[in-house]
Every structure is written in C-alpha cells, then in structure tokens.
Amino acid sequence: MIDVKSIILIVLDGLGDRPGEILGYRTPLQAAYHPNMNRMASLGMTGLMHPISPGIRSGSDTSHMSLLGYDPRVYYQGRGPFEALGLHMDMKPGDLAFRANFATNRDGKIIDRRAGRINAGNDQLASAISIDIGNYKFRVKSGVEHRAALVVSGPNLSDKISDSDPHSEGKPPEPIRPLDPSADSTAKIMNEYLKRIREILRDHPVNVEREKNGQIPGNELLIRSAGKVPDIPSFQEKNGITGACVVGSPWLKGLCRLLGMAVIDVPGAAGTINSNYTGKIKTAIDASKRYDFVLVNIKATDVAGHDGDYELKRRVIEDIDIAMEPLLGQSDRIVVAITGDHSTPCSVKDHSGDPVPIVFYTDGIYSDDVKLFDEVSAMKGALRITTQDVLNILMEMAGRAEKFGS
Amino acid sequence: MIDVKSIILIVLDGLGDRPGEILGYRTPLQAAYHPNMNRMASLGMTGLMHPISPGIRSGSDTSHMSLLGYDPRVYYQGRGPFEALGLHMDMKPGDLAFRANFATNRDGKIIDRRAGRINAGNDQLASAISIDIGNYKFRVKSGVEHRAALVVSGPNLSDKISDSDPHSEGKPPEPIRPLDPSADSTAKIMNEYLKRIREILRDHPVNVEREKNGQIPGNELLIRSAGKVPDIPSFQEKNGITGACVVGSPWLKGLCRLLGMAVIDVPGAAGTINSNYTGKIKTAIDASKRYDFVLVNIKATDVAGHDGDYELKRRVIEDIDIAMEPLLGQSDRIVVAITGDHSTPCSVKDHSGDPVPIVFYTDGIYSDDVKLFDEVSAMKGALRITTQDVLNILMEMAGRAEKFGS
C-alpha cells in the first residue's frame, strides 16, 4: 500500500525557450544557476511535455485547463470569462465576457495599446462605461494597470465574433465582425457600444486631467477573446481530490474559482517580475497540508520571454530557484512537478509550440539519468508526454490513482 | 512577430528499416553516406515518428492522409478510390472503386499476380472489360504496367466486401465475400462480373497474341481495396494553407487531387527506382514560392525495402541525399521535414510498425543534440510523435499556427 501524498504543481509560465547567442547559445534555463531544480531532476523523473499536443501553440488558459485535467478541446470557450471571473464579476450562463484593455486612440489610430499602463482613475473610467443599451447591460471592471474585463448580458448573445483589438499599434481599432451568421446581432450591438463609449471616454475628467498632465489618455477600450462561461464540472468532481491555487494572474484565479478550487492570496504576489516567489512556495507548502492538490503559477518567466530579455529570464529563474529550496525537505509527503505551461522563447517574444521540460520529484519513484533541469537535458529523460498526462502522473506518484481494470 | 515560411514535407516512402548483416548490422539509412540529411539533423530537431500510432502497420495511403492532417480513422474508406482518381477516372458519391491487377490464371490458379508486368495492349484489355450488367456499370482503366482501377456504379453498393486477389501466387482467385449482410448483393454482382470478364480476357486478341509469342496472358483481373469516395474537406479548408504535391504514384496524385491540392508533374519522376530525384526537389523548392505547403513523395526507398535489397536501399538513399543539397540554402524561408510514411524493412519485405526517423529543419528553431539522420540517432532526439502531429509542428515552425487560447 502506497502512502497518499499531497501534490504541488508549479507552473513557471512560458518557461521553455531556445538557445540565445547572448547566453553562449544556451537557453535561459540552461544558463541559469538553479541547484534546487537540478537536485529535483537528479532525484526525480524528467522529460519533455508538449502543451496540448506536439506543435500546438498553446495559450496559458488552454494549457492550464489541460494541466488541471480538463481537455480544452472539450471545455475551452475563450478566455474572456476567466478574466471576468478573476475580477470577481458576476456572470450567468448566456452572458458574454471579454478581456479588455484601456488604450490610447489618437485620430482614429491606436498609438498605445496600454494607455501608458494607466494605473489611476481606472475604476472611474470603468464605471462610466458600464452602461445599458436597450435590453443589453454592459459592465466593465478594471484589473491590474490597463487591464479590464467586460461582461455583456442580454438576449441571443454569441461568442462567434472578432476582436476590436488590432493586436498591434499604429492601426485603427477593428470593427467587431460576426464569424458566423448567428452572431450578426451580437456584432451589431457590440459596435454600437464601442462607438458610444468612445464619446464617454474622450470627455471623461480622468482623461482630460491626464492630457493636461502630459499623459496619454485611456480613451479607447480594446476588447478581445469573447467567450461564454463554460458548463464545467468542479476540480473535485472531475479528479476526486481537493484543490487550491497560489497564483497571481486574475484570469487564472478566475479559472480556479470557476472550478471550485480555493484561491489563496499571497501578499506581494501579483503575477509580475519580482513577485514574492518565496511567499508563494511557502504558502503552497502550507496549503498542501489542507488540500490534496495545489497549483502554483509564477508569471515572471513569461513576462521576460515576451520582452525578449534573455538575461532577465535567466535571473528570474535563479530567483525562483532560491524560493524552491523548502520543497527539498518535503519529498516524503509531497509530490512536486515543475514545468511551464508553454514556451515563450525570447527570440519569438510570443508563445511557441516547442515542448517544455518537466520534472516530477518525490521519494521512492523511478528516477532517470538526468541530473539537470533544462530543455536539452530533459530530452534524455524518461518522459515524452502532453499537458493532459501531468495530473494522471501526479495522482499516480501521490498514491491516489484508481486502478484502471483489475 | 514570426516571419511566415513555406513548408516542404519530403516523404521517403518506407524509409525506416532494421539492421542488416550485409550492412554490418546497420540499417540502410545508417549505412548510407548522406551528408545533406545529416546536416539538417545537426541544425534541426529530430525524433521518432509513429505512423498513425505506436505499433500500427500503416499503409502508405493512411499514413499520407495523416501527414496531410486527416485522421485516417475518420476519413479513410479504402484505397480503391485514390487509385481510380489517380487514373483520372470519373467517380461520383456511392460509386465503388477497386485497385486492380492484370494477372495470369492457369487452370484456375494465379501463376503470376502481375501477368509478367504486362505493358502492351493494357488499354485494349481494360476497354474490353468495361461492360454493363443490368443496372451496374463497370469501368476499368489501366495504369502503370499491370496496374489498373475498377469503378462500379449502380444501386446499393457496399465496400464491405473481400478481395478477389489471393495476395500470393499458386492459389486460385478468391470469390468476393460480403463482410457484412448489407453487402450480400454487392458481392453477388461482383462475382458475376469477374466470371464474365474471365471469358472476355481468355479470348481477347491481346492475350491470344501474347501466348503465341510465349508471353503469359493477362487473363485475370484481381481486385482489392474496395472503397467509396470519402466526403472530405479540402486541404485548404482543413488546414488554412494552400498545398501542392510533387509525387509519382498515381494513387497519391489521386489523393492530392481529391483534397484540391495542385498536382505538379516532373518529367522522369514516376515513383520508381532511378526516379528524377533532383528534378523533384528542385520542383518542390520552386513550387514553395507559389504554395504554402508542398508534399514530395519518393517511392524508391519503399521499392528497395519490398525487394529486400539492403544495398539498393542504401544506394537509393545516397542518390536522394545528393538531390537534397539545394534545400540547405533555403532555411530562411522554408521549413523542411524529412521522414518516411512507414518502415519497409528489407528483412520483412513489407510495411512494419516500427517508428520512423524524422527531422525538422529551418532557421531559428530549437535544436537537439542529434547530428545524424537515422533510426538509432533519432532516438536521442527531442520528439516522439505520430504522423498526426507532423503538420501541426510544421505549421508552428513556419509561423503559421494560430494560438489555441491566449
């Protein structure tokens, strides 16, 4: 009889990378000094994990769903709802939710998709553009910096519509287009809403004041990732274990809340560079005494990858490794896995479809010959898996897997 | 932002093999001098690819469908229709198509399944056995040497029937048997047809003349691989990119034509040993300027494997490698993958279920430690994939993959 252990799954967001000239043609993970993760690789089982399946350029949302045991090809219906849930917005089935940015529109063109990372007056702007048009209610809530979410309630809404976000600067905002004839009326009401709020934002005192102070205004709301709240079983129903999360990103808190997992906040851990890594890991270890499964997400690796900053990504990995140290003394009662949700190579500055290294670490498991935790060493490891396999392996190593057959 | 590249997928048919004593217990790919493919392995990402899934003895047709993004477990309905399409035969939904061989029947037994590779008078024989029986129309068209296709039109045809081809010599042709009660009437009319055409072929002047000249007659039509035309989306609909093919085998041309891909002919490239390899690769490079994706199939490796000729297979690989040289200068704008559709080990003389080495090569991708392109070296590469993953990885490396999620 195997003892039952708790599980901590640590996702270093966008961890995987490619060799960079500035690092002597090594990846940030190869170049970083990370003795704690290497120790886990030495004692544990390693390999390469494909997010979703080989070659798929996975988003963070779809990959996390898969890591939590939900096939995104079945359950994923756009990130909008997670973002709105992360901001504690009320939603009901049939509502439509979007990710949104306050942006700067000058003469019809987006000159800054983040309105200078606006961080004052955002709540007032969000409140001013929470309006009703006929039978449709539009509610906006601001998040970190320029980020916000929009929830729309009303009859016959469809998520088969395009974004207004042009996804690059120097271009005008896009009109919302139906991607399916059933979405014609939704596209129409969304375009009407975006037109009305441009007038409200233009004349809003927050923006008038910003212009006066030489700051660019938050006079445009760019919306994207339309989605409806999925009808989804809870984490406990799906996997038969209790779950908690220690994560910074609002959308990921939203996903975990939707799945009925406990969302544990850590002071100073907000999903940015220099987040409180030590606090997150300690909190996760503590939570693993009360919950069967704890998800940790550390966003800083992804931020460094999106910025294309090899040196920063290396330093972030080194800082995170220091925070990992307490995990080494817990291998008798905890199974740890460390991986990324996808690669965000500094050379690409976006998600790629490359596989990501993964290590499983606990006492008494079948180890492989790999002594280092990085992309190239992991190729010599035991495993070639996908995100969809991770929770199964963790459950198995934790002594929690049901036998399939007899 | 990633630059968008074109894709060339080169399938060396039946490439995979097993070690042969005659080659010092190396595979033909290990024994062959192939510096250009090794260069791509050194700079690219390698691994093993399972045709369809591990242990499956894949056909060329099912494997190619999978490589082109179509799960054959969903779309494959027998090779007959591809063979007929490859010969430009007219077909409509509900029609039944067969691969066929002119063979030699002596006293009720097949003494040569290929009628001495008959290559004169074939069109006349095919025309003579294109007859109507009641409401059923039977149309035969001859292909390369003894090969032909048969298309049947008529009411309530079923493809759940057995072959008349005994698949080995010294045996009588098999009666067509229904594999399902719904196919009873189809089996009956097919047996009636085969009986009638035996009389026609026996007395046909082409065969009378052959016998007079001491040649064995084409007095039997062996039919196999009954299938209906599948209802299948085009390559562009399915994958969102334009496609072309540079292939010799008529059935593969037929498949590509069915998928709406451009079929580009190359003089001297007919799917045999000593095909115009250089012409094929050059044509593919040229086509990659007009199409997003180009499939190349080189059949000679499979022919050598079926013949059990290790030395021939090695020489064919060396000749093909010379033709690969121009690909090395194109890695800034093309993603190349080289693999087989399955293994045809010389020791087996037929398709096996062994995994096949694969290399992906283009600028700026994550490489692995593998420096040689062969079955054993590829085991140390990054990838363990199936045919179903190949197009996803190619799309990703070409900067053409949509992000799944955000």
Side-chain angles (χ1 to χ4, degrees), chain A residues 61-378:
Chain A
D61 41 15
T62 44
S63 179
H64 275 84
M65 289 185 82
S66 182
L67 288 167
L68 293 171
Y70 299 85
D71 187 338
R73 289 162 290 208
V74 175
Y75 291 106
Y76 186 68
Q77 293 172 33
R79 176 135 143 196
F82 303 151
E83 204 76 22
L85 285 159
L87 295 173
H88 293 267
M89 297 180 77
D90 288 331
M91 292 189 68
K92 60 181 194 306
D95 286 357
L96 194 59
F98 298 82
R99 304 177 72 186
N101 277 8
F102 286 108
T104 305
N105 182 334
R106 184 147 293 160
D107 304 327
K109 284 186 180 158
I110 302 302
I111 60 160
D112 188 327
R113 284 182 65 249
R114 299 180 179 86
R117 293 192 180 268
I118 182 169
N119 62 8
N122 307 32
D123 289 346
Q124 290 150 266
L125 293 178
S127 175
I129 57 175
S130 293
I131 59 175
D132 296 355
I133 301 178
N135 290 329
Y136 295 89
K137 284 182 197 299
F138 297 83
R139 296 293 175 264
V140 179
K141 193 159 175 187
S142 74
V144 177
E145 295 177 335
H146 54 280
R147 298 182 190 92
L150 165 64
V151 173
V152 188
S153 309
N156 299 322
L157 290 165
S158 167
D159 56 5
K160 301 278 179 275
I161 56 172
S162 65
D163 300 345
S164 80
D165 189 339
H167 296 278
S168 62
E169 286 158 4
K171 293 182 185 170
E174 298 275 344
I176 303 285
R177 285 181 305 271
L179 304 177
D180 184 286
S182 66
D184 285 350
S185 65
T186 304
K188 202 171 154 207
I189 187 73
M190 292 310 304
N191 284 319
E192 171 66 20
Y193 171 71
L194 293 174
K195 187 174 152 229
R196 290 232 202 147
I197 65 168
R198 248 168 236 141
E199 293 158 26
I200 298 172
L201 290 171
R202 185 186 60 205
D203 302 328
H204 194 279
V206 166
N207 281 328
V208 172
E209 184 71 16
R210 282 178 71 86
E211 302 248 32
K212 208 185 286 173
N213 297 336
Q215 294 174 299
I216 54 175
N219 61 359
E220 175 78 34
L221 191 76
L222 296 178
I223 64 174
R224 64 188 194 278
S225 309
K228 292 191 177 192
V229 179
D231 184 16
I232 197 165
S234 75
F235 182 80
Q236 191 165 1
E237 283 174 300
K238 188 98 173 76
N239 303 305
I241 54 175
T242 59
C245 73
V246 181
V247 302
S249 304
W251 71 264
L252 186 49
K253 291 185 183 183
L255 171 60
C256 292
R257 200 172 286 122
L258 178 67
L259 301 179
M261 296 168 71
V263 176
I264 303 173
D265 286 315
V266 178
T272 56
I273 301 287
N274 296 325
S275 180
N276 178 4
Y277 310 132
T278 302
K280 275 185 153 169
I281 302 292
K282 283 191 173 156
T283 300
I285 291 173
D286 188 53
S288 73
K289 293 166 188 159
R290 304 188 307 282
Y291 298 94
D292 302 329
F293 173 91
V294 185
L295 170 71
V296 179
N297 174 281
I298 296 181
K299 180 75 176 163
T301 33
D302 185 57
V303 174
H306 277 285
D307 286 354
D309 191 336
Y310 286 95
E311 289 285 9
L312 176 61
K313 196 162 177 181
R314 168 163 74 171
R315 182 166 62 72
V316 161
I317 291 168
E318 292 183 346
D319 290 348
I320 293 169
D321 191 71
I322 293 168
M324 298 269 187
E325 197 274 335
L327 293 166
L328 292 173
Q330 304 281 333
S331 54
D332 57 331
R333 65 165 208 86
I334 299 178
V335 185
V336 176
I338 304 170
T339 188
D341 52 347
H342 52 77
S343 297
T344 306
C346 293
S347 58
V348 178
K349 298 188 184 181
D350 200 348
H351 304 191
S352 74
D354 299 323
V356 186
I358 187 164
V359 57
F360 293 89
Y361 165 68
T362 191
D363 284 0
I365 58 166
Y366 169 89
S367 183
D368 54 33
D369 274 354
V370 174
K371 308 288 179 221
L372 301 172
F373 183 60
D374 61 61
E375 294 85 348
V376 176
S377 301

Side-chain angles (χ1 to χ4, degrees), chain A residues 17-18 48 50 54-62 72-73 76 79 99 225 348 350-354 375-376 379-380 384, chain B residues 1-2 45 363-369 379-386 389 392-393 395-397 401-406:
Chain A
D17 214 301
R18 298 178 185 178
L48 289 179
H50 294 283
I56 299 297
R57 279 183 67 216
S58 181
S60 284
D61 41 15
T62 44
R73 289 162 290 208
Y76 186 68
R79 176 135 143 196
R99 304 177 72 186
S225 309
V348 178
D350 200 348
H351 304 191
S352 74
D354 299 323
E375 294 85 348
V376 176
M379 286 182 204
K380 302 183 176 73
R384 292 291 186 286
Chain B
M1 189 64 192
I2 308 162
M45 190 186 279
D363 284 359
I365 58 165
Y366 170 91
S367 185
D368 53 33
D369 274 354
M379 288 183 203
K380 302 185 177 72
L383 300 171
R384 292 293 183 282
I385 58 175
T386 75
D389 301 312
N392 288 333
I393 295 174
M395 292 281 281
E396 198 278 327
M397 289 184 176
E402 297 285 334
K403 204 184 284 181
F404 176 43
S406 63

